[in-house]
Amino acid sequence: MRHSTLLSPFTFLLASLIAFLPSSSATRLIESSSLNPCQANSSFSASLFNVVFTPDNNTLSFNIVGVSSISGNVTAELLVIAYGYTALRETLDPCSASLNLGGLCPMNTGQINIQSNINIPSSVINQVP
C-alpha cells in the first residue's frame, strides 16, 4: 500500500481555516483573593474576598462576603502593591457618593455582602507599574 504525501482537500481546507482563526489575547489584571487585616482583632473577617483591578477598562471589581462586629461610619485603606512596589495607598470613605457602597455606610454588625465595580481615574492607573 502506498501513502500519498500530498494533503487531502479536507486537510488543506482545515489547515487554511485554522490559519484565519483569531489568536487569543491576554487581559492585564491584578487580582487578590485574600484580605490582610491591618490590626489584630480588627472585628471584620471575610469568608469570600475577590478583588480584580483591570487597567484596560479602568475598573476595580470586588465581591466580598464578610462578618463584622463593627457598627457606625468606617473608612478603609486601599493599598495596591504590584511587583513589590506600593503603587497606591488611599483612604476610602464608603459613604462617598462616588463609591456607592451601601453595605458599608454605615457599617452594621452581622454579615456583609458587597459586590460592585468602581471606575478608577487614569491618573491613578498610571501609578501602577
Side-chain angles (χ1 to χ4, degrees):
M1 219 181 206
R2 198 173 137 195
H3 295 283
S4 173
T5 58
L6 295 176
L7 293 176
S8 71
F10 176 75
T11 306
F12 179 76
L13 178 63
L14 183 62
S16 298
L17 289 175
I18 290 174
F20 288 108
L21 288 176
S23 61
S24 64
S25 63
T27 300
R28 296 182 319 143
L29 57 87
I30 298 173
E31 183 173 13
S32 177
S33 59
S34 65
L35 174 65
N36 186 13
C38 57
Q39 66 187 35
N41 303 320
S42 70
S43 303
F44 181 80
S45 63
S47 58
L48 171 67
F49 185 85
N50 190 11
V51 178
V52 180
F53 171 60
T54 312
D56 294 335
N57 65 4
N58 295 14
T59 61
L60 179 68
S61 303
F62 47 93
N63 187 3
I64 302 170
V65 176
V67 177
S68 172
S69 59
I70 302 169
S71 179
N73 290 337
V74 297
T75 58
E77 183 175 30
L78 173 65
L79 186 60
V80 176
I81 302 172
Y83 314 110
Y85 168 75
T86 301
L88 177 64
R89 173 180 245 134
E90 189 169 329
T91 300
L92 303 176
D93 179 2
C95 295
S96 166
S98 64
L99 292 181
N100 191 22
L101 298 175
L104 294 178
C105 181
M107 183 176 273
N108 295 309
T109 58
Q111 184 168 333
I112 296 173
N113 299 322
I114 306 167
Q115 188 171 11
S116 188
N117 295 311
I118 298 174
N119 288 322
I120 306 296
S122 295
S123 60
V124 173
I125 292 171
N126 292 337
Q127 296 178 41
V128 178

